[in-house]
Amino acid sequence: MTSAAIAVLAVVAFAVPVHAAPDRLLTVASLGYDGRVRLGAWTPVWIDLVAPPGGVDGMLQIETSGPSGQAGTSFAVPVRATPGALLRVFVPVLFNNARSPGTVRLHDRLGQVASLPLPRLQPMDEIVAVLSAEPLGVEGVAGRLAGLGVAQIEPEALPPVWQAYQAVRLLVVRDLDERRVTDQQRQAILQWVWSGGRLLAMPSGDDVRHLRGPTLGPLLARAGGGVGLGRATVWDHDAALPEHRGRPIQERAWERVLAGDLLPVAPGLEITVPQDRGVLPRTQAAIGMLVLAYVLAARRLSRFLAGLRPVSVVATVLVLAVATGAAVWVAALARSAASGVVASSVIEGLPGTGHGLLAVAARSAYVDGEGAAVVGGRDLLLRPSVPARLRVVHSDETSVEGGARGVLLTGTAIVPLSITGTYAAMPGGAEVTVANRSGHRLETAWVYAAGRAQAIPSVGPAARIALDDRRWQVPGRLQRADPNPALLAWAFARLEAGAILKEEPAWLLGWIRDPAGGLRWGNRPEPPLQLVLVPLSAP
């Protein structure tokens, strides 16, 4: 999600002109992909809002139902409008109940202004989203694949955040009026393809203007090849024409472009999240100083008390008071240190884009009282991994409110990553060159190639490193401490399984501290730490 898209959500809730005034304050303009959704996946929802006579300065909230009908997670965006203004509001939502998906509510500072129940959904495993005024013949092919549905959509229904394409196996573009698409929607398509999405474009008759337009042009310049982790394909014919639609050769073409499953983002990352925050060095130091002071004071007081003089009694009372106050202070410090967010963050480099795919798994940890909100960075869209009674607020940041102890949160974002490198095999070893323009030092670094890993020094703005064949290690037997060993082991397992970019000869791994990818516990920033995976190309 781009910062611009989130900023728009925060100020005017992504306002789009509404040409016909609805007869009530709230109307569902678009729900999922023509009513089709994948339960548990990010889903685009557009709501038309007519501001009441007094205007509105509040929150538009979608309260979802859990799988068994119980109250689930709520998703909200701030809205602000003058009296009678017409807005189209975008809300990314996770649905878990198709029969009773939830209710839209508009609140201001005085309470609820309006509400609207959402209609039933059509659950699908995956969706082919089609921008075309004519049938393309993909419906018959998709019908033979279990759980795959085809949705004809309008340009205005396209989501402005890439995460809301989570259920889409293929986006097909035949007709596209650029005047009906915003820059945020264009950026979302681009980032979705970068993250692993697949797009198919074709001419509309002899009209090819949309293939060179601002939406498709940047993607189709590399058509037929990889774009980040995804793929953009362009056909030179219009599948809607009678001479193509329904023909065996055309059906086989659809089968090829639909082949393969959606790739999950960072599967299994949640198992790497630390169980607790541990004890910070400053807390350990404070406890050690308190114990030392107590021992010294006890030795001194034992001499005073031997005489049972009044001054000894007064000194004892004073020392006990100071010791009690210090103990209370240290206890409060320890509780504060033990409360916060524990997280695993990883950034996978997206070749040729100058960006990376950030995935985060985190949970709240606190000793007592109410938990604070977990706040993600500008581009990080957070969600509970299972239905929970929390509220997710999308504004210039994503905030998860409710403080449910132990609830696992996950999030994704596309973030700038200006680290590139090459790997060249040589007799007796290899040579790695790295250009690091991220502004962050790559710490505790590794090079991975052919199922082996080798530790290398930390990497600054540039490095040329010689690798020795005698120093390779098996990833499962590493003899080096890392900030999050479980996360490093997870990353090596992903590389060994060839789950990402099998064609790359080697990978660079290391830790960076980028506040842009960090989290906040209420108003307190958590120490940012991300494991970065950078593909190393051949020279």
Side-chain angles (χ1 to χ4, degrees), residues 290-307:
L290 179 63
V291 171
L292 179 61
Y294 177 80
V295 171
L296 294 175
R299 293 183 61 184
R300 172 94 40 192
L301 284 175
S302 63
R303 299 173 184 172
F304 279 120
L305 291 176

Side-chain angles (χ1 to χ4, degrees), residues 146-158:
L148 183 62
V150 178
Q152 302 280 101
I153 61 174
E154 298 295 327
E156 292 84 357
L158 292 170

Side-chain angles (χ1 to χ4, degrees), residues 50 57 79 193 229 254 337 351 442 463 475 479 481 502 524 526:
V50 180
D57 185 0
V79 291
V193 174
L229 299 179
W254 281 117
L442 199 64
Q479 302 295 320
K502 297 180 182 180
R524 186 183 74 191
E526 293 293 323

